[in-house]
Amino acid sequence: QVLLVESGGGLVQAGDSLRLACAPSRPTFIEYAMGWFRQAPGREREFVAAINRGGDRTDYTDSVKGRFTISRDNAKNTMYLQMNSLEPEDTAVYFCAAGTARLYRTIYITPHEYTYWGQGTQVTVSS
């Protein structure tokens, strides 16, 4: 069992920035492809960003491209989501996820490909 702990959420104004962090409970971080998802009230959980084991491949949903950056520091066992130019539409609970990846270049973009999930952190953007 791998527990993921998110941090960094909060209440900000439109145009502000936030950085989310996600750390696993076990020191096997390098074995996992990682991702961020979000879920707004009344909506399904949606893909936000993903990163491969080595951190050199990433993917984003169209609505956050150019504003959000996913990264990971394998030495610190931590993944990040830098969110700039936040918009009210970004308001949601953000979840980090980890999926075992045999291949170094693997990226997962659908929820069912991930095995472990964090508890979520609330991001609220006021207009």
Side-chain angles (χ1 to χ4, degrees):
Q1 183 75 11
V2 176
L3 299 178
L4 302 175
V5 180
E6 301 108 333
S7 61
L11 171 63
V12 297
Q13 293 185 333
D16 286 349
S17 299
L18 279 176
R19 189 175 77 158
L20 306 183
C22 173
S25 60
R26 289 172 53 183
T28 54
F29 186 66
I30 188 64
E31 299 178 359
Y32 300 100
M34 304 290 293
W36 288 98
F37 289 75
R38 65 187 180 187
Q39 188 167 17
R43 302 185 65 177
E44 294 186 354
R45 189 169 299 190
E46 67 168 345
F47 168 74
V48 176
I51 191 166
N52 71 324
R53 288 171 50 186
D56 59 343
R57 290 191 69 212
T58 59
D59 197 6
Y60 300 89
T61 191
D62 286 345
S63 63
V64 309
K65 286 180 180 177
R67 300 188 298 121
F68 290 11
T69 303
I70 187 172
S71 63
R72 64 190 294 166
D73 185 337
N74 287 338
K76 295 182 178 180
N77 278 0
T78 305
M79 176 182 66
Y80 304 97
L81 184 68
Q82 178 66 45
M83 304 185 294
N84 298 330
S85 301
L86 282 162
E87 304 168 353
E89 293 74 21
D90 296 317
T91 295
V93 177
Y94 283 71
F95 300 89
C96 70
T100 303
R102 291 179 55 247
L103 300 178
Y104 182 85
R105 292 178 54 81
T106 297
I107 284 183
Y108 299 131
I109 63 171
T110 58
H112 77 271
E113 295 174 301
Y114 288 92
T115 304
Y116 305 106
W117 292 84
Q119 80 287 353
T121 186
Q122 177 70 46
V123 173
T124 303
V125 184
S126 63
S127 58

